[in-house]
Amino acid sequence: MTTTRSDIAASSRSTDMGSLAVLFAALLWGTTGTAAHFNQDVSPLATGAFAMGVGGLLQAVIARPNIMGCLGLLMAQKRWVLLGAMCVVIYPLAFYSSMHLAGVAIGTVITIATAPLAAAILERLFGHHRLTLSWYLSLALGIAGVVMMAMGETDTHGGDIAAVRAGDDPMATGSGGVPDADWQRLGGIVLGIIAGTTYAAYSLIARLMMDHGTHARAAMGSLFGVAGIALIAGLGLSMLVADPRLFATPGNTSVALYMALVPMFLGYIAFGYGLKTVAASKATLLTLFEPLVAALLAVTIVGEHIAPLGWLGMALIAVCLVIQVKPATA
C-alpha cells in the first residue's frame, strides 16, 4: 500500500492539531497554581482529590457512548485500565502534596522535568516510538528553562517557601539534627518524581489503548472514570469530611469548581484528543508550556516577581516548544 503526498500532508496536519490540543491543555493546567492561590488553607489532598475526581467522572459521563461501543476492548484491556486509573489517582495527590511540602517552584520543576524523561523510558520499554534528535534538544532546553525559572523565583522570594507557607521556623530541626524544612523539601522532591512518573505512565497507557483500537474518548473516559470513582468515593469524601474548608467560603468553592471543570475536565479532553496523534514522550514535553503559563499568571495576577534568570528560562522553554510544534518537512 503506497503512501501519497496527500496522506503525508493529512497526517502532518493531524499531528499539528494534536500538538495544539496538548498546548491548550497545558495552558489550562497552568492556571491551577494561580487559582489555588485564592484558596484559604485547604488541604492539597482535598484539592487534588476533588478536582481530579469530579473532572474524571465528567469525562466518563460524556464518553459513555464511546465506552459502551468499546466495552469488549476495554474488558480485554482491563489490566491497562486499572493500572492507568491507579496512576491517575496517585498523580494529583502526589503533585499537590509535592508543591505543599517543597514549594510551588520546586514541586512543579521536579514533576514537569520528570514526566518527559519517564515517558521516554517507558516508551522505550513498552512502545515502539523512536526519539529524534530534536526531541533530545527540546528536552535539554526545556528542563534547563524550567530549572532557571525555579531559581529565578527562589532568588526573588528567598527563604524556604514551604516553611513560610506553613508558618514554621525553617531552622527547626527534626531527627538527626536535620532541619524540618529540609525533610519537607526532600519529601516534596520524592513526591514530585512520583507525580511526574505516574503522569507519564497514564499518558502512555492511554496512547497504547488507542493504538490497539480503543476510541480516544473511551480510553481517557475509562481511566479517569475509574479513578474519579476511587477519589470521590474513597479519599475524596474522607478529605471533605476531615477538611470542610474546601467549600468553607465562596472563594474556596469557586476555586474547587473551577479546577474540576476547567483544567481537569476540559484540559484532559483536549489532552486526550492530542494523544490520538502525538506520542506520549512528545506530549509530556509539550506540557512544559504549563509552568510558563503559571509564571506569567503569577506575575500579572498574583503580583509575584521573577528574576532575569527566570525570564531567560522562559525564553528557553519557548524555544523548546517552537522546535516541537514546527511543521514536519515532507
Side-chain angles (χ1 to χ4, degrees):
M1 184 177 182
T2 59
T3 302
T4 65
R5 293 180 65 89
S6 61
D7 291 333
I8 296 175
S11 176
S12 178
R13 285 194 298 270
S14 179
T15 301
D16 291 342
M17 290 301 296
S19 297
L20 291 176
V22 173
L23 286 175
F24 178 68
L27 169 66
L28 297 181
W29 296 337
T31 67
T32 57
T34 298
H37 171 77
F38 296 100
N39 259 0
Q40 298 179 7
D41 301 322
V42 177
S43 163
L45 294 178
T47 300
F50 179 81
M52 189 68 90
V54 172
L57 290 177
L58 289 176
Q59 282 199 62
V61 169
I62 68 166
R64 185 177 179 276
N66 306 106
I67 291 175
M68 297 306 297
C70 297
L71 192 58
L73 270 174
L74 291 174
M75 292 302 297
Q77 299 171 345
K78 57 182 178 293
R79 291 185 179 178
W80 284 1
V81 173
L82 293 176
L83 179 59
M86 183 175 64
C87 291
V88 174
V89 168
I90 294 172
Y91 167 71
L93 305 181
F95 179 53
Y96 286 105
S97 296
S98 173
M99 291 192 295
H100 180 73
L101 292 174
V104 174
I106 295 176
T108 301
V109 166
I110 296 299
T111 301
I112 297 298
T114 299
L117 289 172
I121 293 172
L122 291 172
E123 280 190 341
R124 296 290 290 180
L125 292 175
F126 303 105
H128 304 287
H129 179 72
R130 300 188 65 180
L131 301 175
T132 63
L133 179 61
S134 65
W135 185 91
Y136 287 108
L137 176 61
S138 296
L139 176 65
L141 290 173
I143 291 180
V146 173
V147 171
M148 286 181 181
M149 283 180 56
M151 292 175 64
E153 183 177 348
T154 302
D155 289 342
T156 300
H157 292 90
D160 183 82
I161 299 173
V164 171
R165 179 184 296 112
D168 297 331
D169 177 6
M171 297 306 297
T173 58
S175 60
V178 180
D180 289 338
D182 290 342
W183 285 113
Q184 285 191 0
R185 188 182 295 109
L186 178 60
I189 290 173
V190 172
L191 287 170
I193 294 173
I194 293 173
T197 302
T198 51
Y199 168 69
Y202 72 68
S203 299
L204 178 61
I205 289 171
R207 177 59 194 261
L208 289 174
M209 291 173 65
M210 297 175 198
D211 289 343
H212 284 77
T214 304
H215 191 279
R217 285 189 179 180
M220 295 295 287
S222 60
L223 295 185
F224 281 79
V226 173
I229 293 173
L231 285 167
I232 295 300
L235 184 59
L237 283 180
S238 66
M239 283 296 102
L240 290 177
V241 172
D243 188 5
R245 290 170 295 180
L246 189 63
F247 298 107
T249 68
N252 286 2
T253 301
S254 299
V255 169
L257 293 176
Y258 170 81
M259 292 180 70
L261 297 177
V262 180
M264 298 304 164
F265 173 54
L266 183 58
Y268 275 103
I269 288 179
F271 186 68
Y273 175 83
L275 279 178
K276 290 193 298 183
T277 57
V278 176
S281 56
K282 180 176 180 177
T284 52
L285 194 55
L286 288 172
T287 55
L288 289 174
F289 189 43
E290 177 184 348
L292 193 152
V293 172
L296 291 175
L297 290 177
V299 170
T300 57
I301 296 179
V302 179
E304 294 186 358
H305 299 281
I306 297 178
L309 184 63
W311 290 106
L312 177 59
M314 294 172 66
L316 291 181
I317 293 176
V319 174
C320 159
L321 297 175
V322 168
I323 294 174
Q324 286 299 303
V325 300
K326 68 178 182 179
T329 56

